[in-house]
Amino acid sequence: MLARWFSWALVAFAPSTLALTDPQTVYDALSAILLPSSELVLVSDNAYQRDFTPRYNLAEAPTYLVGVRPAVAEDVIKVVTYARGRNISLLTTGRGHGYTTSLGRVQGAINLDLGKFNSIQVDAEAKTMTIGGAVNGYQVVAALQEAGMEIPTPQCPCIGFAGASLGGGIGPYSGLYGPMSDSMLSVDMVTAGGRLLTVSETEFPDLFYGIKGSGFNFGVVVSLTFQVYPATNSGQAMNADITFLGSQNESVWKAVEELAASQPKELAFGLSVRYSPDPPSEGIMIAANFIYAGPQSEGEALMKPFLDLKPQNVNISTVAWKHIPLVANGGAIANYGCNPGVYYIPYSLNLYRVDVLNLVDVVNYMSQAIGADSALQGTSIVWQQYAQHGFQLRPDDSSAFPYRDAKAFVNPFTKNAFVKHPPYQKTDSTSITPSRRQIDSLASESSQAPALDNFGREIRDLLQGGSGKDQLDVYVHFAHGDEGPGSWYTKERLPKLLKLKEAYDPTGMFSWYNPIISAAP
Ligand SMILES: Cc1cc2nc3c(=O)[nH]c(=O)nc-3n(C[C@H](O)[C@H](O)[C@H](O)COP(=O)(O)OP(=O)(O)OC[C@H]3O[C@@H](n4cnc5c(N)ncnc54)[C@H](O)[C@@H]3O)c2cc1C
Ligand SMILES: *[C@@H]1O[C@H](CO)[C@@H](O)[C@H](O)[C@H]1NC(C)=O
Ligand SMILES: *[C@@H]1O[C@H](CO)[C@@H](O)[C@H](O)[C@H]1NC(C)=O
Ligand SMILES: *[C@@H]1O[C@H](CO)[C@@H](O)[C@H](O)[C@H]1NC(C)=O
């Protein structure tokens, strides 16, 4: 077991902090203890815009005093210990794609950017992969393809592989292997108490349970080791993009229902229901995506119920596994997901059945609402549906990941309404709230926010009615932030997770991102 205790007594017992912490004070204190190889800058410094990972979503963005990019785990320990001793908020940044509004509570914090933890090692013989805490999805698929291996990865190539897996992590090959967290073998992490722990099935197994599905609640994960698998179909997969008119929605939903009942593990399915101003749709259109880990002929056969509906456009091809995130949905996910600095309002939920009548109602409501308010034209309902096989490989109580029986993970959001603006506006102010200023300067562009916000909530409520569960259940990474811990982690899991929180993060240092807290009675 690797467990070290570093005591930074001078820092921890320094006189208590001023009410409003001055960035320079924090900078000076950290600069005195960090290695020269670690980067430390004030957010007002140009180097901050240049070197630090941008936030994907600027709605409810955190604000920072200073940014730190530690070079080694020992410096992570120093930063955590300093922040705790001075009661200064701290947020870990992996690849910056977390979009929950709960992050808006982070104000005047230290940005602990793991950008220097970006190494990746694959051991094809041992079938393992070890990555740094800020490696992204594309780095993983590129390295694994090279080694003839694979693992489930998220749809968007730019999101943090660690960040995603700490909340479960779902993607095209989850039908084969389950959430990404099921493939986790161990992590090295710094706890709130400043200890560097190796956590696995045999070392701190209780904490390992929590890491797999609620991991951002317990510390800073600097390195992770995963099991990887020999490539299916020699590392080739079918990608199929087909589109339908809104008027075909009922037949499409019926085909989706049929598919959900018998989805083979090699097949991942996605939908995007959105508005198109162009003929022939001139209204609601439906884009479907199929990814099949096998020969194209087999994949096409499985698509027959959809192809029989005579889609508007059909594009079926075979691609290298690593290119799936770049080509699926005509490249839309990579295109939108890799351009940070958007104003993003997600309202998502899990569905436990495909309720055709309810879904027709949702499409009709969407069509009607968009007709009445053009500000809503950019909204879309994005649907991810994976085979149950992978999720059922492990028992429900094997980890904090709680949605093994979900049929679909659905994101109704303002995705295409992206109010695009530069994420990095230069500021020479030493104000502690530069990101706020950025958002203020966008006020005119984000004036649509209230309409989008209302609409998102309405669509979520409508979908919830046909979800197959009385309560709202939402995949923690797709959550808006208003749902509460019962929806993110389930009420059944909360007592156990609260105990873990008490043991490893009693002061709530890591309670920013959809945190484990007591549910309201
Ligand atoms: C366009 C888009 C597409 C997406 N598609 C998918 C998808 O297909 N499947 C899926 O599962 N998810 C998907 N997501 C959600 C994604 O899993 C989350 O946004 C996840 O938080 C991204 O991690 P990150 O490191 O990029 O984000 P960050 O914002 O850097 O981190 C998110 C949270 O995790 C914490 N964190 C990150 N890394 C670490 C670490 N190493 N140690 C401790 N804490 C850490 C951060 O402190 C923060 O609280 C998508 C998101 C976007 C924006
Ligand atoms: C730490 O700071 C928060 C506000 O940022 C405050 O609510 C809390 O009481 C402080 N805790 C201590 C121990 O000073
Ligand atoms: C959705 O399908 C229903 C049933 O076929 C149809 O009446 C409705 O017009 C369709 N909705 C849209 C927006 O085309
Ligand atoms: C069809 O899909 C492939 C990748 O799967 C892509 O390279 C090609 O550009 C697409 N063709 C059209 C016409 O969109």
Side-chain angles (χ1 to χ4, degrees), residues 245-251 253 283-284 360 363-364 367-368:
L245 297 174
S247 56
Q248 296 173 282
N249 73 89
E250 185 174 6
S251 324
W253 292 126
I284 298 293
V360 170
V363 169
N364 289 339
S367 174
Q368 178 208 319

Side-chain angles (χ1 to χ4, degrees), residues 64-116:
Y64 298 109
L65 304 168
V66 302
V68 193
R69 282 162 44 94
V72 291
E74 281 71 14
D75 272 9
V76 174
I77 293 170
K78 292 180 208 170
V79 176
V80 167
T81 306
Y82 170 77
R84 189 179 184 190
R86 289 302 201 91
N87 192 26
I88 299 171
S89 306
L90 171 144
L91 186 71
T92 307
T93 299
R95 297 266 33 101
H97 276 62
Y99 52 66
T100 167
T101 61
S102 63
L103 288 181
R105 297 174 304 136
V106 179
Q107 298 293 312
I110 295 171
N111 178 6
L112 181 72
D113 187 326
L114 290 177
K116 288 180 187 278

Side-chain angles (χ1 to χ4, degrees), residues 55 92 94-98 114 133 155-156 160 169-170 219 221 475 477 513:
R55 283 227 69 77
T92 307
R95 297 266 33 101
H97 276 62
L114 290 177
Q155 295 267 18
C156 173
I170 52 168
V221 177
Y475 171 40
H477 277 321
Y513 188 93

Side-chain angles (χ1 to χ4, degrees), residues 279-328:
S281 311
E282 293 177 274
I284 298 293
M285 65 159 288
I286 301 173
N289 172 256
F290 300 79
I291 294 160
Y292 183 70
Q296 186 170 323
S297 55
E298 283 179 27
E300 284 180 29
L302 290 164
M303 290 169 61
K304 189 170 184 305
F306 290 85
L307 294 173
D308 285 350
L309 299 178
K310 307 218 181 323
Q312 298 298 301
N313 295 293
V314 177
N315 181 8
I316 307 179
S317 58
T318 296
V319 298
W321 171 67
K322 68 174 177 182
H323 288 143
I324 292 172
L326 306 179
V327 301

Side-chain angles (χ1 to χ4, degrees), residues 409-432:
F409 301 92
V410 184
N411 275 295
F413 54 8
T414 62
K415 188 172 162 226
N416 295 337
F418 283 147
V419 182
K420 192 82 181 76
H421 43 72
Y424 298 101
Q425 289 184 5
K426 258 205 210 156
T427 165
D428 47 17
S429 157
T430 53
S431 150
I432 61 161

Side-chain angles (χ1 to χ4, degrees), residues 151-358:
I151 194 169
T153 63
Q155 295 267 18
C156 173
C158 294
I159 71 177
F161 198 89
S165 65
L166 293 175
I170 52 168
Y173 282 42
S174 287
L176 289 161
Y177 309 114
M180 290 152 62
S181 53
D182 279 0
S183 297
M184 223 183 244
L185 296 174
S186 71
V187 303
D188 285 354
M189 62 179 288
V190 174
T191 64
R195 288 198 294 165
L196 179 59
L197 302 182
T198 296
V199 178
S200 70
E201 213 64 75
T202 51
E203 298 152 290
F204 307 98
D206 58 339
L207 182 53
F208 196 48
Y209 168 98
I211 289 294
K212 295 186 288 181
S214 60
F216 30 75
N217 276 285
F218 299 106
V220 183
V221 177
V222 290
S223 139
L224 309 88
T225 298
F226 290 89
Q227 181 181 358
V228 297
Y229 312 91
T232 307
N233 195 40
S234 312
Q236 302 286 302
M238 175 195 80
N239 179 70
D241 289 320
I242 63 179
T243 61
F244 297 96
L245 297 174
S247 56
Q248 296 173 282
N249 73 89
E250 185 174 6
S251 324
V252 172
W253 292 126
K254 281 184 176 153
V256 173
E257 183 186 29
E258 197 186 314
L259 177 66
S262 61
Q263 191 166 340
K265 61 182 189 293
E266 297 85 1
L267 184 67
F269 174 71
L271 275 182
S272 163
V273 181
R274 56 180 187 257
Y275 172 85
S276 168
D278 307 317
S281 311
E282 293 177 274
I284 298 293
M285 65 159 288
I286 301 173
N289 172 256
F290 300 79
I291 294 160
Y292 183 70
Q296 186 170 323
S297 55
E298 283 179 27
E300 284 180 29
L302 290 164
M303 290 169 61
K304 189 170 184 305
F306 290 85
L307 294 173
D308 285 350
L309 299 178
K310 307 218 181 323
Q312 298 298 301
N313 295 293
V314 177
N315 181 8
I316 307 179
S317 58
T318 296
V319 298
W321 171 67
K322 68 174 177 182
H323 288 143
I324 292 172
L326 306 179
V327 301
N329 300 289
I333 297 170
N335 186 22
Y336 291 119
C338 292
N339 285 303
V342 300
Y343 195 94
Y344 197 49
I345 307 175
Y347 275 104
S348 310
L349 79 169
N350 304 344
L351 298 184
Y352 294 84
R353 66 167 187 226
V354 179
D355 182 334
V356 173
L357 288 180
N358 189 56

